[in-house]
Amino acid sequence: MTDTGQDTRASDQPAERVPFMQRLLDNPFLLLFLGVAVPAVLYLMWGIMEVAQIPIAP
Amino acid sequence: MASIADTGTLPRAAEFRTCPDTGLKIDLAAEKLIRWNAVVAVVFLAIGGFFGLLVALTRWPAVHLLPAEWFYLALTAHGADVLLFWVIFFEIAILYFASAVLLNSRLAAPRIAWLGFWLMLAGALLANVAVLQGESSVMFTSYVPMQAAPHFYLGLILFAVGALVAVAVFFGTLVIAKDEGTYEGSVPLVTFGAIAAAVIAVFTITSGAIILIPTFFWSVGIISHIDPVMYKVVWWGMGHSSQQINVSAHVAVWYAIAAMVLGAKPLSEKVSRFAFLMYILFLQIAAAHHLLVEPGISSEWKIFNTSYALYLAVLGSLIHGLSVPGAIEAAQRRRGFTKGVFEWLRKAPWGNPAFSGMFLSLVMFGFLGGISGVVLGSEQINLILHNTMYVPGHFHGTVVAGTTLAFMAITYLVVPLIFRREIMFKKVAQWQPYVFGLGVAGISLFMMGAGTLGVSRRHWDITFSDAPVAFDYPGTAFLMMGLNGVFGVLAALGGLMYIVVVVWSVFFGERRTEEKARSEPLLPQDGAAAVATYGSEGTLKLPGTITLVAVFFVAFVLYYFVNWKFLSEVWPLS
Ligand code: HEM
Ligand SMILES: [Cu+2]
């Protein structure tokens, strides 16, 4: 039962659709992407753009 | 058997031992890395804590220990040694524990992990040398145009690269564990919390690289100018986010201790994971709260990043704040402590420093660090508290009462489990979380008190003795700073107790043999399973926790409005 080692999910059951939220939470690299992209856009890029637009004192 | 961890020519044949306390399979390479990272962390805590004491004694008006130049040197050394080196070395140990150990897996690429370790150590030492030489007293934030010696920035960069390497090894280990099927289903919650910490670490280190590398070039004269506001925006991408690594890591540690000491499982895996997801998505952008009074940046940016989104992250913390005591209550009730509302809490293992440290950390992080953080993060109230002692008061509530105390608490489990040594000086160890906790509660509260009265942070002489324009703080402000000094001494004593117990146990402690593990078990029978597998408690019959949470909310709301009242008084509009 266990010594094939490959897929632990029993094959006699129909493949169950894994809920979206669980797929997200079980994928560390998707989390990594989101956790870097969100602050990079909302905080860093937006913030840097604002600072870059401050006119230089004459 | 294909394997992806390529440490040389062949996949490494890992050597394991089976832990007699938990039954977990432990990769010896991971174990050694955990040990070394933890030991080095504790050394930096000792150094940094000593500087903290010097700083507190200088800001105690009646003592006023150090001359001005030394004060700023000590303040810089204090911030870097505790908030960077102590905390992050310890976090790397936690990452290896939460991946290799909890997942029963081998560690990806131990040789690369050692490279990361040596880079971090070299960087930390280099930065310390630079600070002690006296030309780099730029304090924690190292704001330009203040300039430190080039090797100060270089030290920080090396340290950050080393930490990034360690984070990569952590992610690699997750991949290996999944491929080799060392666990079933989803990773345990503690590992998930560590993933949140590691994700935030990647953004933190990236921001750090974006700003520190040009600053290094500026210090050697290759770049002529760095814009101070630009510096602040990017620097806080690192400076703030790194505190969110700490929060994620210490929340994971709370869950780990509750599981290992009481067999407590999270109330709901889904809800707790959702709370960590809120951290991953929204905690880092709150970095904008450091720039609330900065001219030139729009209110849209400030308010979006600190309010709308931040409240989602605060929601995450509130969930953990309910879920951790709730898990403890549920576990205790399962064990039969069902009388009244609070028997579960009264009969908790208060004599076990792992538990007491964890619970004090949880309560103080919420009441001291959490509430004051939301107050400081409100754009309007920030005006009256910005750059006052309120700020260090707040973050000693988060990173000292919260993170540091939680890490101290889990050390009392790490020493027997990973170092295989008994905790020595048991009585001292039992008292340690209380002494340290009381001291830190004091410094946090009195610094906040002084800040509410307007006392500046990072200020050597609040009497303004040689200033051309005199200014008098009220007498209570001096009292607050004096009490801060007294409680600083107490906190330092609690820190010293920790260092003595840990160093003595690790190097001279009695070995924890297999017989000992059998005759004096460290964890309850369900402890190892609770920490290393997926599973929820699935109950909400928690009258005690609900009461605690209600008290918290009342305190929160009242205190929040008191600060709006203060604001209305300094800024009369009618
Ligand atoms: C013995 C325990 C400690 C004492 C007595 C202590 C005391 C102090 C005092 C008095 C200040 C100066 C506030 C000012 O003048 O602006 C300070 C700053 C600071 N402390 Fe601590 N502290 C302790 C432990 C810690 C720990 C464990 C951490 C981090 C995990 C920490 C992080 C910091 C940071 C980041 C600063 C700000 C440095 C700066 O302004 O550049 N402290 N501490
Ligand atoms: Cu912050």
Side-chain angles (χ1 to χ4, degrees), chain A residues 21-22 24-26 28-29 31-32 34-36 38-40 42-44 46-48 50-51 54, chain B residues 175 186 192 199 202-203 233 236-237 273 277 280-281 284-285 287-288 291 296-298 301 304-305:
Chain A
M21 204 55 185
Q22 188 179 341
L24 168 67
L25 294 179
D26 278 345
F29 293 99
L31 294 173
L32 177 61
L34 289 173
V36 173
V38 170
L42 292 177
Y43 174 83
L44 269 187
W46 183 4
I48 290 173
E50 295 225 339
V51 177
I54 302 174
Chain B
V175 173
S186 303
F192 191 78
V199 166
V202 173
F203 177 76
V233 170
W236 280 113
R273 273 162 216 254
L277 179 65
I280 291 174
L281 296 179
Q284 306 168 69
I285 61 182
L291 299 147
I297 312 178
S298 72
W301 181 83
F304 180 84
N305 282 291

Side-chain angles (χ1 to χ4, degrees), chain A residues 43-44 47-48 51-52, chain B residues 138-148 152-153 156 207-216 218 225-239 290-291 294 297:
Chain A
Y43 174 83
L44 269 187
I48 290 173
V51 177
Chain B
V138 291
M139 295 174 282
F140 192 70
T141 41
S142 56
Y143 282 157
V144 303
M146 261 193 306
Q147 197 175 60
F152 173 78
Y153 304 111
L156 297 188
S207 308
I210 297 175
I211 198 61
L212 286 177
I213 294 174
T215 310
F216 168 71
W218 168 72
H225 174 76
I226 295 204
D227 180 77
V229 183
M230 196 67 95
Y231 178 94
K232 282 186 170 182
V233 170
V234 185
W235 191 90
W236 280 113
M238 167 182 75
H290 298 276
L291 299 147
E294 220 60 42
I297 312 178

Side-chain angles (χ1 to χ4, degrees), chain B residues 45 48-57 59 71 75-76 78-80 82-84 86-87 138-142 246 388-389 392 395-396 399-400 403-404 436 440 443 447 456-460 481 484-485 487-493 495:
Chain B
L45 176 65
F50 172 70
F51 281 114
L53 179 63
L54 296 183
V55 169
L57 290 177
R59 296 223 56 177
F71 170 74
L75 187 54
T76 309
H78 172 57
V82 280
L83 199 52
L84 288 176
W86 143 250
V87 163
V138 291
M139 295 174 282
F140 192 70
T141 41
S142 56
N246 303 343
T388 66
M389 281 306 276
F395 67 68
H396 284 76
V399 293
V400 193
T403 309
T404 299
F436 187 74
V440 175
I443 58 178
M447 283 200 238
S456 306
R457 69 182 290 201
R458 299 173 162 172
H459 192 182
W460 178 69
M481 294 307 291
N484 175 50
F487 279 82
V489 172
L490 196 61
L493 178 66

